[in-house]
Amino acid sequence: MLNHLHLSNVGLAPDLRINWAPRINLVTGDNGLGKSFLLDLAWWALTRTWAGAVALPATSAKKPTLGYGVQGAGSKATKVESEFRRADASWPLPAGKPPMPGIVIYIRIDGGFSVWDPARNYWRTDPGRPSAYHFQAPQVWDGLDLNGQRVCEGLERDWVNWQQGQKPQFAALESVLRALSPPGEPLRAGGAQRVFIGEGRDRPTLLVGGQTVPVALASAGVRRVLALAYFLVWAWHEHREAARLLGKQPEERLVLLFDEPETHLHPRWQRVILPSLLAAIDSLRGDQSRAPQLLVASHSPLVAASLEPLFDSAQDDLMHLGVHSGQVLVRQGLWAKQGDATNWLVSDIFGLEQARSLDAERAIEAAEAFMRGDKPLPKGLDSKAAINRQLQRLLAAEDDFWPRWLVETGALPSVGSSSPPKAKPARKARQ
């Protein structure tokens, strides 16, 4: 597993250190501050390969360095530090075999996947062995060739081969799909069938209600989850098969890097995707296996809220990237239960003042200023009547702000508008 990352004069921060928890790590922060960049660096530290472009420090950066610690089967992490070499745009690393972190899977935001397999990328010593397996989005479905060798048939062909051959991979795929399914809508495999005229192969399908839907025509959210399920099964079973051929004991440890798991998913699915992922891994490996390490970057309050029943500060962490005095800093150990997604939105993690539209937020801020007696008030919201009209236009009748506004100002809705109901309990205070 990954123990820590230390960036010096790399990226947007002059000095940044993250100590990774052994199980769940949720990375939050605004766009453009480096969450995906941290996952790219974590992949490099774990596998000594790049899933995309090599990290390039600014030309003005003095002595840019990347440090990390990877823990293998032993109890201590091996510390490594690399200084960027501008002559060949590389990050030199010590010679010799590094610690082996287990199977590493990177679910990228662009629809691609990267897989690092100890049996195929570490234990092998032949000169033709690949450093890792990197799939662009189309290769997830159509397969991957490396150096003239077919290394993966892709989701659709493997699915059909596993299903028609009644292989254990298909039973594992069905189990993982059940675990990853959205509430009340199980992902069930249908029979393979021809889909496109003139094509000489069958394609996999899903049973959706009373209909059969080819996976090639499924929605973007369903396809991303299908790809996730497929790569969990493919990486796990291919590792075990390669270990058998090498006469090695297969590896049980697993590290997953997941960039924005909420992408394309409905809120009902967002709030279960990470717990479902852990359940899917358990169904694949068996409950006796040690917990995987998850490094997850997310913008979703529902993803954060979904972890409340699972979170254990002894083995999990929530971290936030923010800008302070013009520099990107990371804060760790920030976990605090918020109770619901709205409270997460207005927490320090996501930083909204209110979980409403921007216009409604401005109207309420003007109302707050009016009740405090502040002057001047915003243009267009500079009287009680103007504020009241805007609140009626923007707020729902049952909004929690109405009782306070009506009691403190005596304002009443205009004729013909719906009257606000009785006050509801105030939401939990922002932390």
Side-chain angles (χ1 to χ4, degrees):
M1 72 175 190
L2 188 60
N3 177 270
H4 73 269
L5 272 177
H6 185 201
L7 288 62
S8 180
N9 296 320
V10 184
L12 298 178
D15 190 81
L16 191 88
R17 181 184 173 95
I18 291 181
N19 296 312
W20 300 98
R23 191 178 66 151
I24 299 171
N25 296 269
L26 183 63
V27 184
T28 62
D30 205 347
N31 293 101
L33 297 186
K35 298 185 302 299
S36 297
F37 183 60
L38 285 179
L39 294 187
D40 287 343
L41 294 179
W43 167 268
W44 170 76
L46 288 160
T47 69
R48 295 191 168 196
T49 73
W50 293 101
V54 175
L56 294 176
T59 54
S60 59
K62 295 182 179 180
K63 198 178 179 180
T65 59
L66 292 174
Y68 63 87
V70 172
Q71 185 173 332
S75 58
K76 292 184 179 180
T78 299
K79 297 180 180 180
V80 175
E81 186 171 282
S82 175
E83 182 178 346
F84 185 67
R85 189 165 58 199
R86 296 191 183 277
D88 60 358
S90 69
W91 296 91
L93 291 167
K97 281 211 166 186
M100 196 273 289
I103 302 168
V104 186
I105 303 175
Y106 188 0
I107 304 112
R108 304 197 305 271
I109 188 64
D110 62 3
F113 284 72
S114 292
V115 176
W116 188 85
D117 180 352
R120 293 176 288 168
N121 307 130
Y122 183 83
W123 294 336
R124 284 172 57 183
T125 58
D126 58 283
R129 70 183 176 110
S131 57
Y133 298 98
H134 301 292
F135 295 78
Q136 301 303 316
Q139 295 168 328
V140 171
W141 300 85
D142 300 331
L144 179 66
D145 294 302
L146 288 178
N147 301 322
Q149 184 179 35
R150 189 73 169 173
V151 297
C152 176
E153 292 294 339
L155 183 151
E156 294 205 59
R157 286 185 174 84
D158 269 340
W159 181 319
V160 171
N161 290 338
W162 296 347
Q163 183 176 22
Q164 293 179 341
Q166 299 182 340
K167 296 182 179 180
Q169 291 97 315
F170 185 69
L173 180 65
E174 288 187 304
S175 177
V176 169
L177 286 175
R178 282 194 297 270
L180 290 174
S181 296
E185 299 178 17
L187 294 172
R188 297 180 296 140
Q193 63 181 36
R194 296 293 169 96
V195 175
F196 301 111
I197 295 176
E199 187 175 60
R201 66 184 177 97
D202 293 341
R203 289 179 179 259
T205 66
L206 289 172
L207 298 176
V208 181
Q211 297 184 332
T212 300
V213 178
V215 300
L217 305 179
S219 69
V222 170
R223 283 169 63 86
R224 194 178 195 213
V225 172
L226 293 179
L228 171 59
Y230 167 67
F231 269 101
L232 287 174
V233 174
W234 181 81
W236 186 253
H237 280 270
E238 288 299 318
H239 166 70
R240 304 186 89 71
E241 183 64 17
R244 181 187 67 80
L245 292 173
L246 290 170
K248 295 271 193 178
Q249 186 68 24
E251 181 57 56
E252 298 289 331
R253 293 172 298 145
L254 185 65
V255 183
L256 271 83
L257 293 73
F258 205 163
D259 200 358
E260 298 191 26
E262 65 271 17
T263 302
H264 302 308
L265 298 187
H266 186 277
R268 287 188 299 107
W269 213 342
Q270 289 184 32
R271 70 174 182 173
V272 298
I273 185 62
L274 288 188
S276 297
L277 176 58
L278 290 170
I281 293 169
D282 284 345
S283 75
L284 186 64
R285 304 186 310 166
D287 292 336
Q288 76 280 0
S289 300
R290 70 178 71 186
Q293 185 183 38
L294 268 60
L295 280 58
V296 180
S298 178
H299 292 288
S300 171
L302 284 166
V303 168
S306 74
L307 295 177
E308 290 195 356
L310 303 174
F311 198 90
D312 177 0
S313 58
Q315 56 181 341
D316 305 323
D317 196 12
L318 170 64
M319 56 199 74
H320 183 260
L321 293 174
V323 179
H324 302 274
S325 301
Q327 295 183 354
V328 176
L329 300 177
V330 63
R331 293 183 298 152
Q332 295 195 242
L334 298 179
W335 182 263
K337 288 183 179 179
Q338 302 296 334
D340 65 24
T342 300
N343 287 339
W344 275 102
L345 275 173
V346 298
S347 71
D348 288 342
I349 299 303
F350 293 97
L352 295 189
E353 292 298 322
Q354 298 177 26
R356 297 177 172 88
S357 70
L358 186 57
D359 284 349
E361 180 179 302
R362 288 170 177 163
I364 288 177
E365 288 177 348
E368 296 275 7
F370 176 83
M371 290 187 288
R372 291 192 303 267
D374 294 350
K375 296 288 180 67
L377 294 171
K379 184 178 179 180
L381 294 168
D382 49 7
S383 69
K384 181 174 74 172
I387 294 171
N388 196 58
R389 284 194 301 270
Q390 190 74 332
L391 291 175
Q392 288 186 56
R393 186 177 75 87
L394 296 169
L395 301 190
E398 66 273 14
D399 195 284
D400 292 344
F401 184 72
W402 276 120
R404 183 174 167 222
W405 172 252
L406 295 177
V407 168
E408 294 199 22
T409 67
L412 294 173
S414 59
V415 176
S417 66
S418 58
S419 299
K422 296 180 181 180
K424 295 167 65 178
R427 288 196 178 275
K428 179 179 175 182
R430 180 179 174 185
Q431 297 188 28

